[in-house]
Each structure stands twice: as structure tokens, then as C-alpha cells.
Amino acid sequence: VVPEKDTSENARRVSASIRQNASRLCLYGRCQEQERLQQLYRESVSMNLSSPSDSSKGNGPQKSNFLILSGVSGVGKTELALSLKPLVHEDKGVFIHVKLEELAPEEACGNFIKYLNGTAGIVLDIEDTDLQRVYCDKIAKVVTENLDERLVSAVPLLEQVMKKSSIDFSFQVKHKESPRKSRQSNNQIGDSSFAEGALSIPILRYALVKIMQAIASYDHPLVLFLDDIQYTCGTSAYDGMFEELAMDQSGIFVVVAFGMDGAHCTPKQKISLSYFISAINPDSYNVHYCELGSLTSKAIHKLIAETLSLDPTELVNLGEILFGLTGGNALFLLELLRHFQEDDLLVYDKATAQWTCDTHLLKQHPLLRVRSLRDLFIAKISDMPDEARNTLKVASVIGSTFPRNIIAKLVDAEDVDSYYELGIQAGLLTRYPHHIPSLGTSEEVLAFRHDIIHKAIYDLIPDSEKCTLTFQLGMRLWRRVKDEEEMESFIFIILKLISRGGDEFLDDEKTDRVAIASLCLQAATKASKAIGFDQSIIYLEFGMRVLGQQRWRKHYDICLALFNSAIEAYYGTGDFEKVIQLVEEVLSRARIFEDTFQARIMKIYTLGTIGHFEEAVDFGLETTSMLGESISKQPSTLSMLRMLVRTRRLVRKYDCDKLVQLPLMEDPKKNTVMLMYTFLFTPAFFRRPKLAALICCRMVDMTIRYGASPVSGVAFSAIGAMLASGGKHIEEAFSYGKIALSFSGRFGGDAWVCRVVSGVFGCVNVWNKPVQTCLPPLKRAYLIGLGNGDIDMAVMNASLYLWNSLDSVPITASYNFIQSLNDRMSFLGQKHYALVPLKPLLHMCESFVGQATGNLKNISSDCTKMDQESTNDLSVLLACPRNLNFYSMILAYHFSDFKLAESLARSAGLLYHNLSTLGAAFGRMYHSLVLLERASSTKSCKRHRIRVVRRNLRVMRQWSKSCPENFLGKQFLVEAELAALVRKSDEAKTKYYLAIIQSRDSGLLWQEALVNERAGKFYLKIGQQAEAIPFLEEARRLYKEWGGIAKLEHFETEIDEHFGEASSAILDQ
């Protein structure tokens, strides 16, 4: 007997409740799991909580927890993790939910941009303005210190976060391209993606990790929830991300959801959960595992009651029926309730006072004779109109998300929008809240409401037709693109479809291989500038594959273009072995010598980057000789000086403004030679400095004779740096720097700007401009170099920044800067190339901050013992022992081993006499201080030492006239020490006072601390202990602010040992 249907208000209310609640999945029957989740969260964000195994050992805070939630779709993995969100917000923390999708590897770059954008959006949505400002400041600090504006332009919401912060993030505006652009050969690198720069997956991943680390703290915890983590198993884009995040895990809790549905995984992604668990480093996290099964009948009963907004006592029969149908899967149950409401299957039996189903209709209903959630969706989709079903099939080929306008172009139907609305009403589709950069379009994006829906629709396409249909859709979209603007929007999707179409179409003679390969080249160029080198490589490799085995013989031009672009892209990712492999193939396959220009340039640059300087120089000179350039391989000092004098005379004949407005260099070969010399300069500088000088002079000569080139500014910058060597020819060097900056402004190009900045702001302007004005451009050039894969220039600008900022920033900041560079290069897989020139400086910083493990006063022996496994790195390091002795001299002086310092001074002098950085000023100052201290303690050679000091002072006084902010304090300090030695106490007191004032006004923290220390010791020596105490107290405060813990401890010990009662007075304060 069919129960009588209740047509009362109660039935209408039930129907409304289903419509309102069936689309949301609440948490039921998971009390124990929820308690465990909250416990693990509390452990991860508690500062002083130690793990049981470590608490007795006193090992401090435990590692953060890493929770893996597994289970089939619909059991509540996502809802369980999201239940933690209110608790995190209550703790004034941030909850980041990353919904991973089944993407091809080439789309991972766009995914990271989406995650960064989502993280920024979470911060912008915080209602507490004070808390929001805290987070904005943290993010802005990370961006300004570790990243550059390329990331800000790629992540729209990140710029809004920066604007809401209190930190100045005014990046320099990029130079615009001159309308009079150089007409260069197609085989040259001047307008390449390498010169413009790109964001790669490691850089984006680094940015995401660093921003999350900056946000997280014990006061403001961060929970990272990665949903559907199984989709990352088929790509290396996320490799090492968890370990990188664990480097600074204070206040971080990681939760991942791993789907166990076999239907969710492609063959490449079918890995076991146990394999995923084993891949998490136990040294980084405490890994926990929780498998969610189906809900109990009691939990299902409660879920039904709240969904229908009814008394649970009226739902006993209905609960039993639905539990039997769904097996306790919450999502399956809600979808069934939706169908019950739509098809009017719910009835109320007045006799039993129970809600139940119309069992007669239930047995006949085609949608309810299924036994799994996936089959339910398949049945429902099959019941839709043919046009709507075909539209959804096309959308499933695009992916789990898809723009509306693309489907409109692919589907031959007038009323496509109505099909979308039908899918949304049926609970199959939803409007996607975020723009997806990898899709290349800003149109409204739709998404399948669940990955099971996407898979169910895609599986309606027969396996034998999937590849063909995918390829046909890509070609159809390509044909229907109207203009270049539309092509810019759709190019990534077109190639995504064509490339996924399989290789069957390659056997078709009608396939236009050249057209597809050209499209790949166009997409790679756009990807390298907008998203990253990693995605660019995918398109380039596919283009090469499309051309087939006979690509060099049948399709030479497009093949050459693809190879040249691939060489640059692989260099940007740090795969130098692949770069050399591709270069050799181009050299062996090229038909004419001119077609090898770009490959030869990149080979020189790659060999220099990996430390094979001699090979790079020999290959570069061989290439230039083939271009008709004759230059000595081993020039003498005399020939180098003659060339430099001739170049300086030639430049003096021209006004600076006229030089910059020279006509463009028209000869393609001359342009190529200029580029060859630009990349040849660095390896020549390290192995044959005289040759490097000749190269710069030749580039200037070619600019004046044959016209301006985009790299002309690099040559003028390098000569300016050479002229400024040792602080000589400051005004002339400054004029060369101005010319270099003008050329840079005319032509632009990040790769060339970075080189110009290193010479001008690192070596020239520091002699006549306050050092604080020179540091920001150097730091920006360092970040740009890392961003566009220009490793050499990144490290060069970082080194110049560090050398020139030693006096003005805390030693801890220098130490952290080097460590940050180390982290960045580790992300890029090039750690061993970065720290070689910075190792002596790093060891000096470690000695001052108390992190050194070897000889505190002499780092030479420690440095030579490192990296025995890396012969190339060690040879570079040992080739310049003067670097080691320079820093060891400074350390020995500060730790009062003046005899050792003097023994190192001569070798160090060979270095600082020729430095173009402020290292020359450091060298002369410390050399003078060492000699004066030795002269006061031993009578032998006293006059000689004083004579050397006075010679140094003459040079320092010339520097002070040029830029008193940088040099006058150093001059006053040496003059004060000299006056103290010759017993001119009044003059010494005056000079000490002037040195302190000048150092403080110039913001030179380390120098101010040293002057106070020397002044205090001077007053103690002349018996004026009361006057000494304020200076020694101030020195102690400044050393503490500077961060030199080891130096501070040595200073306090020295006072205690050598100055008796006065030390007690100081230490008691």
C-alpha cells in the first residue's frame, strides 16, 4: 500500500530544507577524529611542548605534526580538516586550504601562482585590521628582501597586500623599450626570455614557502591543508616542498587529504599510500595517519535529521533505507536526498508517524538503482539532454576547471549558457572563485563540483576516442581563433589539447607539423615571460617531438629556433648538462656558422657558471676569431695599459649625451661579438684579468666605431669599475657610470641592467655617493638575477651588496643574507655555485656571531678544508688566497692577535689595493690600525709602520673629499690612533670624538662600535678611567646591537683581564 502523501506545509518545508542543505557537507560521527585533529594542532603550535621522547633529554620543542587523512570520496576528509578553521581563527592564525587538481606538469606553475594569490586573499579577508597589518608587514618584508616585482605582477592580490603594509616596497620601474630598437639577427639573445626573466616552479615554490614561514609563528599559527594530495604524485613540482617548509616550522601544522579512489588516479599517479607516507622525512615532521571509513547508522540518522530540519524520531525508517543504499557515505546520501526532493519520492506515513520513501517508485527509478557515488553521477548525467551531456563531455576534456568562452567556441550549440545553468542546478558544476593563470584567460571559470563528477563525465567518452577527440578539439579551437589577441588568451589551452591527443596524428600526412611547432615556440615564449621556464620547456620539447626524427633535414628553421629557446629555458632551470647537450647538437647540425651564434653564447655562459673558466675563455676566443675578431689570449700588462689609455682618450673626444645617442649597431656579426664579449668577461675576469680589461676596451671601441648595442652599457660600467680600482680616478669612473646607466635606460633588458648595476652601484658610485643609496639597486639586481636565471649576476650583485654594506648593517643581517642566498640556490639546485666567492665572508660572519667551529682568528685553514668533493669550487677558492687573508686580518685584529694580523696584511694588501668596492677602504683602515697597534707594542720598525700609515692617510683624505659619508669616519679613526701613538692626547681625543659623530651620522654601526672601543681603551691607557667608562659602555651596547656575540664576549673578557677595576664598573651597569 502506497502511503498517503502529505501535502501540508510540513512537506513543503522539508523540500526547502533539502534544497538549502543538500549542497553542504557537515561533519557527523567524527568526534574522536576531530579531537585527535585538534590535539595535533595544539601540539604543533605550542612553543614549549616537547615530545615524550625528547622531554627527558631537554631537546626543546618537538617537530611539527604532519597529518595524513585518507579515504574514499564522500567520507568527510575535507570537512574534518576544515573543522579546524574556526579554532585557528580564534588563535588569530591563518588557515590555508589548497585544493589540488589533476593537472599536467606544465600547469603546476600556474597552480603555484593560484596558491600564492589565494594566500594573499586570505590575509586581505581578515576583518581585524591590526592583525591584518601584522600579516601584511610580514609578507611585504619577505617580498622586499627575498623576491622582486616580477612576482608581485604575477600575483594580483599580492600587490594589494603590499599596499596595506607599513613597509616601503617601491620597486624601481622597469626600463621601457626604446622605440628605436636594435635590428638584430634572429639568432641573437638580445630580446630573449632570458634577458627579460621568468618565474620558474622552484622560485614560485620558494616564494610560497617563504611567505608561509613568515606568516607562521606561535602567536599567529598557520595550518596548511592540501586537499587531494594524490594529484601531486605524478609531477616533481612539489618535490621537497614539505622539507623546505620544515626548515622554519614554528607554529605550522600540515594536514593532507589523500583520496583512495582508484578512479581518481591516472596510471602515473597510482602509487600506494604507504609510499607517500614513507616519502615524508621523519626528521622534519612527526607523521600521523588517519583513515576515514563510512559513517555509522547513528551518524547518518543525525545527518538526515539536520538536512531535512525534522524531528529525528520521525526519520527512523528513512534512515535505515538511506543507510542501506549509501553504505554510510555522507556525500552519496546527500546526493540521494537531492534526487528524492527533485523527483518527489519523500512521503510521510501518518499511520506510523514516519518519513519514508515511495518504495514502489524507488524500485523503478533509474537513478536509484546504483550502488556507488560514481555510478549515481553517471546515471544522472546519462539522463540529461544530449546537447547538455555533450557540452559537459567537452568541458571534461579541458579539465576539472574551464572558462565559459572556450566551451562556447568548441561546442556547436546556440544555447550553451543554458547547459551550464542546467549543470549548476543539477549539482554537477559550480562557479570557480579564482582565475587560473595556466588557462591563459580572464573569463569566468566554471568547475566540476567534485572530482568524481569530472571523472564520471570523462569516462563517458570511449577510451578509443579520447585521444582523437582531444586533438580535434585543440585544432578546432585553433581554427576558430579570430585574431592575435584571442590567440594570446587561448594558446595554452590549444596546445594542452593538441599535446594530450597522443602521437597518432603525427602519422597523418595532413598534419601541419611546422604550424604546430611554431605554435609551441610562441607558447613557450609567452610561458617563459609570464609563468616560468619549466612550463616553457614542456612546449619546446613537444614542438621538437612534433617535427619528428628528420626535423633538422625537413624543418631546419623552426627546429633551430626551438633548440635555441630550449637552451635558454634549460639554463634558467639550472639543468646545465642538458644545456651543453643541446648546444652540441646545434653546433653539429647547423648549416651555417651564423646559426650557431646563440648556442655558442650560451655555452660560454654555462661553462662560466659551472666554474669551467679556462674552457669558457678558450671557446669564446675561438668563436670571436671565427667572427674576424683578433684579441690576444694572454695579453701583457703593458699591452693592457696601452689599450686602456687609448680607450680613455677615445671616450674623452665625445660628450656623454652624444655617446648615448649614437646610432644603432647595424652589423649582425658585430652585435654577436658584443654579446660574446659580454658573457666572456666574467670567466676572463676570474682566470685572465688582463684579458677581461682588453675585452671591455674593445667593446667600448666597437660601440663608438660601429654604433650602440644593448650591451654597450655593460662595457662602460666595467671600465668605470676598473678605473675606480683602489679608489683611483673617481671622477672619470663616475662619468663612465653615468654613460652606462644612460645606455641601460635606452635599451633596458633585465639581464643587461643587472650587469650595469653591479659595476656602477657596486664599484663606482660607492666612491662619491653615500653607501646607503647604492645598496637598494644592488639588492634588486640580485633578486632579478635569481628570478631570470642569471646565476652569475645574482651572486655578483649579492657579493657586492654584502661587501659594501658590512659597516652599515648588523653582522647578523649579513650572515642571514648569505644563508638566504644559500636557501635560494638550494631551491634552484645550484647551491654549490653560489657560496664559493662568499665563503671567506661567510666564515668571517660566523666567527663574529659565534657560529665558527674552527680557528676564530684565521679562517684560511678552515676554508681550504671545505668542499673537497667539489674540485672546481675549491680551485676557484684557492686561486684567491688574498680573499682569505683579507678577512682573516680583520678577524685577527678584532680578536687582538695583532702579530697574526700584520703577517696577513701584506697578502691582503695585494687584494684591497685593487678592489673597486668599499673593501679597499676597509683594507687600508684595518691595515693602518694593525700597524699602529704593533708599533705601540714593539719598537722595531716603528718608523716604517708609521710611514705606511701616513701614506694610507693621504689616500683616505682624498676619498673623504669625494664622499665624507663613507670615508671621513675611517680617516678620523686612523688619525686618532696615530695621534695616540705619538702621544698627542688632545688631538687624539678630538679625532675620536669626530670619528664617533661621523660614524653615527653616516649610519655605520660596526665602525661606530669600533671607534668607541678604541676611544675607551685610549682613555684607560692614559689613566682617565672615569672618561673611559662611557665609551666602553657604548661600545658594548653597539656590539650587541651589531650582533657580534663572539666579539662582544671577547671584548668583555679583555676588559676583565686587562683593565682591572674599570671592568667591574662597566659590567655592573
Side-chain angles (χ1 to χ4, degrees), residues 566-671:
I567 289 169
E568 294 179 18
Y570 275 112
Y571 181 93
T573 61
D575 191 347
F576 302 128
E577 183 178 348
K578 185 68 174 180
V579 171
I580 298 299
Q581 176 186 335
L582 294 176
V583 166
E584 294 303 327
E585 183 167 353
V586 171
L587 296 181
S588 63
R589 297 283 192 168
R591 294 175 180 175
I592 57 176
F593 173 67
E594 286 77 5
D595 288 344
T596 67
F597 287 169
Q598 185 169 339
R600 289 176 177 272
I601 289 172
M602 290 305 300
K603 182 175 181 178
I604 295 170
Y605 196 46
T606 302
L607 290 173
T609 300
I610 62 179
H612 297 173
F613 298 132
E614 287 290 348
E615 187 178 352
V617 171
D618 292 340
F619 181 77
L621 292 178
E622 174 191 334
T623 302
T624 54
S625 66
M626 296 171 70
L627 288 166
E629 279 289 309
S630 178
I631 191 169
S632 176
K633 294 182 178 180
Q634 297 285 352
S636 64
T637 302
L638 182 59
S639 62
M640 182 270 292
L641 292 175
R642 285 177 177 172
M643 186 70 170
L644 183 59
V645 170
R646 195 184 81 174
T647 301
R648 292 168 67 186
R649 288 176 178 172
L650 182 63
V651 173
R652 290 192 190 111
K653 296 179 181 179
Y654 293 86
D655 182 77
C656 291
D657 295 333
K658 291 183 179 179
L659 272 176
V660 178
Q661 297 303 321
L662 285 171
L664 297 175
M665 188 177 290
E666 301 287 347
D667 189 339
K669 285 191 176 181
K670 298 299 181 185
N671 266 306

Side-chain angles (χ1 to χ4, degrees), residues 899-915:
K899 185 177 181 180
L900 173 62
E902 187 176 27
S903 68
L904 297 169
R906 183 174 181 180
S907 176
L910 297 176
L911 173 68
Y912 72 72
H913 281 177
N914 297 308
L915 282 179

Side-chain angles (χ1 to χ4, degrees), residues 241 417 582 978:
M241 178 176 170
D417 287 343
L582 294 176
L978 179 59

Side-chain angles (χ1 to χ4, degrees), residues 159-174:
E159 184 176 1
Q160 297 183 34
V161 170
M162 301 286 286
K163 290 179 179 178
K164 285 182 174 289
S165 73
S166 58
I167 296 177
D168 179 22
F169 70 101
S170 53
F171 294 118
Q172 293 185 5
V173 179
K174 285 187 176 181

Side-chain angles (χ1 to χ4, degrees), residues 38-51 60-65 91 217-219 221 249-253:
Q38 294 178 2
Q39 178 187 354
L40 294 175
Y41 162 72
R42 288 299 184 196
E43 290 179 359
S44 296
V45 302
S46 296
M47 183 182 304
N48 299 317
L49 186 62
S50 298
S51 61
Q62 67 173 20
K63 296 171 290 188
S64 284
N65 290 318
D91 292 339
S217 68
Y218 292 116
D219 293 330
Q249 54 182 332
S250 57
I252 295 178
F253 178 40

Side-chain angles (χ1 to χ4, degrees), residues 223-241:
V223 174
L224 175 63
F225 173 39
L226 301 177
D227 205 355
D228 287 331
I229 193 68
Q230 72 274 6
Y231 288 143
T232 68
C233 301
T235 174
S236 61
Y238 301 87
D239 286 353
M241 178 176 170

Side-chain angles (χ1 to χ4, degrees), residues 179-408:
R180 299 174 60 192
K181 198 172 183 179
S182 175
R183 282 174 280 173
Q184 299 182 16
S185 165
N186 289 334
N187 293 326
Q188 294 180 357
I189 198 173
D191 301 322
S192 68
S193 60
F194 175 78
E196 293 297 327
L199 293 168
S200 64
I201 286 177
I203 291 175
L204 289 169
R205 190 178 64 209
Y206 173 82
L208 180 63
V209 169
K210 281 296 178 183
I211 286 176
M212 287 193 294
Q213 288 176 340
I215 291 175
S217 68
Y218 292 116
D219 293 330
H220 303 291
L222 180 142
V223 174
L224 175 63
F225 173 39
L226 301 177
D227 205 355
D228 287 331
I229 193 68
Q230 72 274 6
Y231 288 143
T232 68
C233 301
T235 174
S236 61
Y238 301 87
D239 286 353
M241 178 176 170
F242 299 127
E243 282 69 24
E244 294 155 3
L245 185 61
M247 292 177 184
D248 181 10
Q249 54 182 332
S250 57
I252 295 178
F253 178 40
V254 180
V255 184
V256 301
F258 192 103
M260 300 293 289
D261 305 79
H264 291 185
C265 300
T266 64
K268 291 183 179 180
Q269 294 172 326
K270 285 184 178 177
I271 66 167
S272 65
L273 178 60
S274 60
Y275 176 83
F276 175 78
I277 296 175
S278 65
I280 305 300
N281 188 353
D283 294 331
S284 301
Y285 296 96
N286 291 321
V287 181
H288 304 270
Y289 170 64
C290 176
E291 181 176 3
L292 300 184
S294 299
L295 296 179
T296 63
S297 59
K298 183 177 179 181
I300 288 292
H301 193 185
K302 182 179 179 183
L303 171 58
I304 296 172
E306 293 198 9
T307 303
L308 301 181
S309 301
L310 291 175
D311 185 350
T313 59
E314 299 179 330
L315 299 169
V316 176
N317 293 341
L318 182 61
E320 292 176 355
I321 294 173
L322 291 177
F323 184 78
L325 288 173
T326 64
N329 187 294
L331 181 59
F332 193 3
L333 181 141
L334 289 175
E335 289 300 322
L336 281 182
L337 282 177
R338 179 195 296 274
H339 296 314
F340 284 6
Q341 180 266 326
E342 291 174 352
D343 296 337
D344 203 20
L345 297 180
L346 282 181
V347 294
Y348 183 73
D349 188 346
K350 292 182 178 180
T352 61
Q354 287 288 312
W355 282 91
T356 184
C357 300
D358 189 330
T359 53
H360 177 71
L361 294 177
L362 185 61
K363 294 178 181 179
Q364 304 298 323
H365 203 292
L367 293 182
L368 303 181
R369 289 180 295 177
V370 296
R371 287 297 178 264
S372 72
L373 182 60
R374 180 173 177 272
D375 291 342
L376 172 66
F377 285 124
I378 290 177
K380 183 167 185 178
I381 295 163
S382 301
D383 198 43
M384 297 181 72
D386 291 342
E387 294 83 359
R389 187 168 59 252
N390 291 334
T391 300
L392 292 179
K393 285 182 182 179
V394 171
S396 72
V397 173
I398 300 294
S400 58
T401 55
F402 51 92
R404 301 177 63 130
N405 59 339
I406 290 180
I407 306 301

Side-chain angles (χ1 to χ4, degrees), residues 180 198 217 272 278 309 375 444 463 477 554 564 722 828 890 936:
R180 299 174 60 192
S217 68
S272 65
S278 65
S309 301
D375 291 342
E444 181 186 7
D463 291 341
L477 182 59
K554 295 182 178 180
N564 283 331
M722 287 190 296
L828 298 175
I890 296 175
S936 67

